[in-house]
Amino acid sequence: MLIAILLGFIFSLFLVFTGKVFRGKFAILSAAIPLILFIYFAQFIGRISNGEVITEMHSWVPSFGVGLGFTLDGLSLLFSLMITGVGFLVFLYTAAYLKNHKYLDRFYGYLSMFMAAMLGLVLSDNLISLFVFWELTSISSFFLIGFNNSNEASRKSAITALSITGLGGLALLVGAIFLGVVTGTYSIAEMLNSGIDIGSNSYYSIIVVLIFVAAFTKSAQFPFHFWLPGAMKAPTPVSTYLHSATMVKAGIYLLMRLTPVLGAHELWNSTLIVVGAITMVYSAVHTIFRTDLKGILAYSTISALGILVFLIGQGTTDALLAASVFIIVHALYKATLFLMTGVIDLQTGTRDTTVLRGLRKVLFPVAIAGFLAAISSAGIPPSIGFLGKELTYESTLHFEYSAILLIVLIVITKILLLYSGFVAGIRPFAGKLPERFEKVRMPSPLLWMPPLLLAVTGIVFGVFPGIIESSMIKPVVSALGKDGAEVHLQLWHGFNTILWLSVLTIVIGTILYFLIKPTARLEAGIAKLEFLSPKSISLKIWVWFTKFSDIWTNFFQNGYLRSYVSTILVVLIALTGYSLYNTAQFNINFDKFSKVTIYEAVISLIMLVAIFYTVFTRSRLAAVASMGVIGYAICLLFVFYSAPDLAMTQFSIDTLTVILFVLVLYKLPKYLRLSDYKTRIKDGVLSLAVGAIITVLVLEVLAEPVNGEVSDFYANNAYLLAHGKNVVNVILVDFRGADTMIEISVLSIAAIGVFGLLKLRLKKSDQR
């Protein structure tokens, strides 16, 4: 499985060197990668349907309990087949859609990287590695959404998507760490088998909230949904792939995967039901007010994702069964509608539903695909969408809490999704062909075959549901901790309440389709309420936050070194002083002062005099000389206390420092008094406070019992292991050799930078 995941990344890297080959007629060869992967995963269908779970382990960071563990069960197999199957058709479609595009190889590189990241995400058993792949999907989708980087709207949409999903990624990382601490493992399989009741842990609520933030941002749940309509600025293959079978389904996958671990608790179930219900109804209503085909599909996608979250929240076997089927339903019809929209846009130059009519006469195969996708979206037999709708109604009607309210909400949502499906899949092809579209011609088969194949597959699965029953659906339900053996799919369930609800949905939805026509007036009307939308509110918060950041930055980052140092010292005094006030326990033994020799007393007195002279002198050179005196006095103290190596080091540093200061200060103007009396008083008080804090801190350290374990280790092993008699030098060069090398590298880089600045000579025209 690791090779299967890396294949996409390897192909992306391969394109860096051979990209020109895949820009022309050989672009179609790129589709071989997802096709090979689809065949690879398809061969596991028989084993998985027999109840087998395939695992693969690779060591990564064992010291932190992080490994590259992969699990292939019913759930991960379903998503893997969707990722590679739809991916294969998208790769084919792209060869014609972006034919001869100068950056086609770059697009395939991003697409392959995204596919590989999604496979790693759904196959990962370790939460930390899952997070890594989760973030890779966000990064690669950023490049895909912003592929048309010369377009400002595309760039803005890409940044918005990355910001929202990136926030969720951080939440996922923290949630994964909490979950690992609580369970003692990052392996999802081990969490399931551990028998630990995470719901009784005090961290349960925090974990659940963090996982929700991750899933809701990725799967565009209210109020984080607004990034998805903006992502429609991406090329159609991107919209198809990210928003039907991959990107937005990642959050759904996370919720389904962790349902056996975190589910069956009121916080989990109630939150998912509420958020899912709000999202599905809110977004379904929005489809009425959109005229752009991609806009309609975007909001219907959000609504469909809300339905999935709504079903996962119910947590029953029937609900999880309905969610499993609906994942397939949505992937098939939504990918079809997106690909169909791309063909229409490419051939007619517009996606405006107010002008698109009669295209069946010039795009007949595309019209068939749109019609089949529309009836699957509407849940009309014999499509797989009908089966998914029936299962959704059944699970909701039999839910034990607020069943009536929930069934009303889901029926309203399905009615509106039927309307949007008809508008997107049927309306552009119905009626009389306008004169402006009479010259439209059939595109390459690579553009109309993929959507037609997906649409027909939706009908085949509906007529013969047994194809997916044992091969996909039963293993998925079993992977979610339910009894998959009880699953039986059939198109006809007889005359019952569920059927009458379906009839009601179809009738009302069809009436709405004929009564409500997409118009610019409706879209303008909903635009008046834009100030209440989560997107507008988020933008206002962003503006306020930016203003606050400007004020904060201008106050603390004002360009004055004095201000920066003062701020650092004040924070140091506050934090360290507070800690010492509560914990300091040292006692000063004044009897030890009697042991101070005359030499030590004289040296200390010299240092004090030099310090005062440094502070109050009006001559820079005198101040530098006084600081040199202080350094040499410290050297003598080191000699008195039998530390000649430190004394020599201090002597060298002080001598060099004095010379450098003199050379620099020699070029400066005469001594100027640049601060007033109050500022000097403030600086003096601050300096005394820092000195007092450091003094107390040193005394506190000296009062602590000495643990000689580390010192003994270095003393005993310096000669034996490093063959050096100077313990300090051995520590710096051998035991801490890497650290010392990095420090030297940093100093070298800084020195090169300083030298470059000193030698820099700008022309007057370049000076600012």
Side-chain angles (χ1 to χ4, degrees), residues 407-430:
I407 197 67
V408 169
L409 294 177
I410 192 67
V411 168
I412 292 173
T413 301
K414 287 291 186 179
I415 289 172
L416 295 175
L417 287 182
L418 182 149
Y419 167 83
S420 64
F422 278 14
V423 171
I426 296 178
R427 182 177 176 82
F429 306 100

Side-chain angles (χ1 to χ4, degrees), residues 6-16 18 22 29-31 33 91 108-109 112:
L6 292 179
L7 185 59
F9 293 117
I10 294 171
F11 182 64
S12 298
L13 184 62
F14 177 72
L15 287 174
V16 174
T18 61
F22 294 91
L29 296 178
S30 301
I33 303 299
F91 272 65
Y108 273 128
S112 299

Side-chain angles (χ1 to χ4, degrees), residues 281-396:
V281 176
Y282 174 86
S283 302
V285 170
H286 266 272
T287 60
I288 298 176
F289 300 94
R290 305 296 159 180
T291 59
D292 181 85
L293 280 174
K294 273 195 171 184
I296 294 171
L297 294 179
Y299 278 101
S300 63
T301 295
I302 299 171
S303 183
L305 295 170
I307 292 174
L308 287 170
V309 172
F310 175 79
L311 292 171
I312 296 170
Q314 293 179 26
T316 62
T317 301
D318 289 342
L320 295 177
L321 168 62
S324 304
V325 174
F326 189 63
I327 286 173
I328 299 175
V329 173
H330 180 257
L332 292 175
Y333 81 72
K334 191 52 61 73
T336 301
L337 292 174
F338 267 119
L339 295 176
M340 178 210 74
T341 298
V343 175
I344 293 174
D345 189 17
L346 199 63
Q347 298 303 107
T348 66
T350 182
R351 300 192 303 261
D352 190 349
T353 56
T354 62
V355 299
L356 290 170
R357 303 288 288 172
L359 293 178
R360 71 188 183 282
K361 296 180 180 180
V362 289
L363 299 174
F364 186 69
V366 182
I368 294 175
F371 175 76
L372 295 179
I375 67 171
S376 185
S377 171
I380 298 175
S383 67
I384 184 68
F386 174 73
L387 182 58
K389 177 163 60 64
E390 293 272 294
L391 292 172
T392 300
Y393 284 173
E394 183 176 2
S395 66
T396 306

Side-chain angles (χ1 to χ4, degrees), residues 652-732:
S652 302
I653 292 174
D654 265 290
T655 302
L656 182 61
T657 302
V658 170
I659 294 173
L660 289 175
F661 266 119
V662 170
L663 290 175
V664 172
L665 295 178
Y666 180 75
K667 297 291 184 179
L668 294 179
K670 292 184 66 177
Y671 188 85
L672 300 175
R673 192 177 294 276
L674 300 176
S675 58
D676 56 20
Y677 180 75
K678 293 181 179 180
T679 301
R680 292 195 295 276
I681 292 294
K682 182 197 71 174
D683 292 342
V685 172
L686 190 61
S687 301
L688 290 173
V690 173
I693 287 291
I694 298 301
T695 301
V696 174
L697 186 61
V698 170
L699 292 174
E700 179 69 11
V701 171
L702 293 175
E704 289 292 322
V706 178
N707 186 342
E709 183 178 352
V710 175
S711 302
D712 294 340
F713 171 82
Y714 287 126
N716 296 331
N717 291 281
Y719 186 76
L720 295 177
L721 298 180
H723 308 291
K725 295 182 179 180
N726 188 313
V727 179
V728 175
N729 290 346
V730 168
I731 292 173
L732 292 175

Side-chain angles (χ1 to χ4, degrees), residues 530-542 544:
E530 181 67 19
F531 70 96
L532 295 175
S533 68
K535 179 180 179 180
S536 297
I537 295 173
S538 299
L539 289 175
K540 290 178 182 177
I541 294 174
W542 175 256
W544 295 337

